[in-house]
Amino acid sequence: MFEKILISLDGSELAEAAIPYARELAECLGSEIHMLGVCDLPRLPERLLKAYIDNTASQFKRAGLRAKPVVICGIPADVILEYAEKTDIDLIIMSTHGRSGLTRWVLGSVADKVLHSVAVPLFLINAGRSEGIIERKTFRRVLLPLDGSDTGEAAVPFAEELARKTNARILLLSVMMPAYRITAAQDYPGVDLEPIMKAQRESAENYLRDVEVKLKQKGITVSAETMVGSAAETILDYSKEKQVDLIA
């Protein structure tokens, strides 16, 4: 599933926050890592960038990993998307923040454009919050929020593959809509919300239980929890509480 992984680097420490993740995936999955540097400045920085990318790739090779250094000139987001499509990349890894590297990318805008245009899974890393990642195992707990939709379930096979190959634990999470949101959405003032909330919770718990059973049958360590609140905020709070390493 992750035969070819693309990591985009601009020479900055913030972009390099993606390297430990790429390395562990290469070790666990046997993936080939394509290290892509995109030069959007005159030729002298291109030579510097090539030396940097070659050196970074050589560190992987010395560790017995497959790494392919690539430097292309152009608009960073466009080059990343085009290269991923042409070479059948299975996963793109990149930091969400960073600037002042050899090519002076503003990684936030590059990551945003790639996120909204890419046709393969994108592994985004908040570089500013990745301190100490090299000092421990990268993947221990993977949070998989699900809402019962096909769109949400699109992340399941990728989380499953990572968990199987890295021995990570999957934390399933369903976030139910708060009672006041149900009232506002349905415009039923005075409605008895208790049976509605009870039915909603039972449905969410049954759904997660089915997913949990399927994952356990594949030998994956998994737990499931249902909570009430704003989906995005609850996911972030839960991931912090559980010290999650990845949100799928």
Side-chain angles (χ1 to χ4, degrees):
M1 182 177 288
F2 298 112
E3 175 63 24
K4 296 180 181 179
I5 296 177
L6 171 63
I7 176 174
S8 60
L9 300 170
D10 69 348
S12 70
E13 291 184 2
L14 289 170
E16 288 178 352
I19 291 178
Y21 294 92
R23 179 162 184 150
E24 179 160 345
L25 288 176
E27 292 172 347
C28 296
L29 308 179
S31 309
E32 179 182 57
I33 303 298
H34 291 235
M35 294 186 173
L36 175 63
V38 184
C39 182
D40 54 356
L41 292 175
R43 292 197 63 81
L44 177 59
E46 180 185 353
R47 293 200 296 272
L48 293 174
L49 181 62
K50 184 178 187 305
Y52 164 73
I53 295 294
D54 286 345
N55 179 64
T56 306
S58 68
Q59 295 176 29
F60 273 58
K61 292 177 181 178
R62 285 196 293 270
L65 304 174
R66 294 185 294 156
K68 181 178 181 180
V70 182
V71 174
I72 301 174
C73 289
I75 300 173
D78 293 344
V79 171
I80 292 169
L81 291 166
E82 183 177 348
Y83 183 85
E85 182 177 0
K86 281 186 176 181
T87 55
D88 296 322
I89 293 295
D90 302 303
L91 176 69
I92 298 174
I93 303 178
M94 62 188 303
S95 299
T96 59
H97 297 82
R99 62 171 72 230
S100 73
L102 292 171
T103 59
R104 298 198 179 104
W105 294 2
V106 180
L107 286 178
S109 60
V110 175
D112 186 67
K113 183 172 182 180
V114 173
L115 171 64
H116 289 90
S117 305
V118 73
V120 299
L122 176 62
F123 192 135
L124 291 177
I125 298 155
N126 189 333
R129 300 186 180 185
S130 299
E131 297 178 1
I133 195 67
I134 300 177
E135 299 175 3
R136 59 172 175 77
K137 184 175 174 60
T138 306
F139 301 103
R140 298 171 302 174
R141 287 178 285 276
V142 175
L143 175 58
L144 180 57
L146 296 173
D147 61 1
S149 68
D150 291 340
T151 301
E153 289 184 359
V156 173
F158 300 101
E160 178 185 320
E161 176 77 357
L162 284 175
R164 286 197 305 108
K165 295 296 179 66
T166 65
N167 293 318
R169 179 188 187 92
I170 291 183
L171 284 67
L172 300 175
L173 176 65
S174 176
V175 183
M176 302 189 310
M177 187 183 298
Y180 71 86
R181 291 276 303 276
I182 295 176
T183 304
Q186 298 186 8
D187 196 23
Y188 292 150
V191 69
D192 183 5
L193 293 176
E194 185 174 348
I196 295 177
M197 295 298 294
K198 182 179 180 181
Q200 183 184 14
R201 177 175 288 278
E202 288 179 353
S203 176
E205 290 176 347
N206 290 336
Y207 167 69
L208 286 188
R209 190 176 299 111
D210 289 342
V211 177
E212 181 180 8
V213 168
K214 292 177 182 177
L215 291 174
K216 285 183 175 179
Q217 289 174 343
K218 298 178 180 180
I220 296 172
T221 303
V222 58
S223 61
E225 191 164 351
T226 302
M227 304 181 75
V228 177
S230 168
E233 293 177 2
T234 302
I235 290 169
L236 290 172
D237 290 343
Y238 188 82
S239 67
K240 184 177 181 180
E241 176 190 345
K242 299 296 184 180
Q243 297 183 313
V244 164
D245 303 300
L246 171 70
I247 302 175

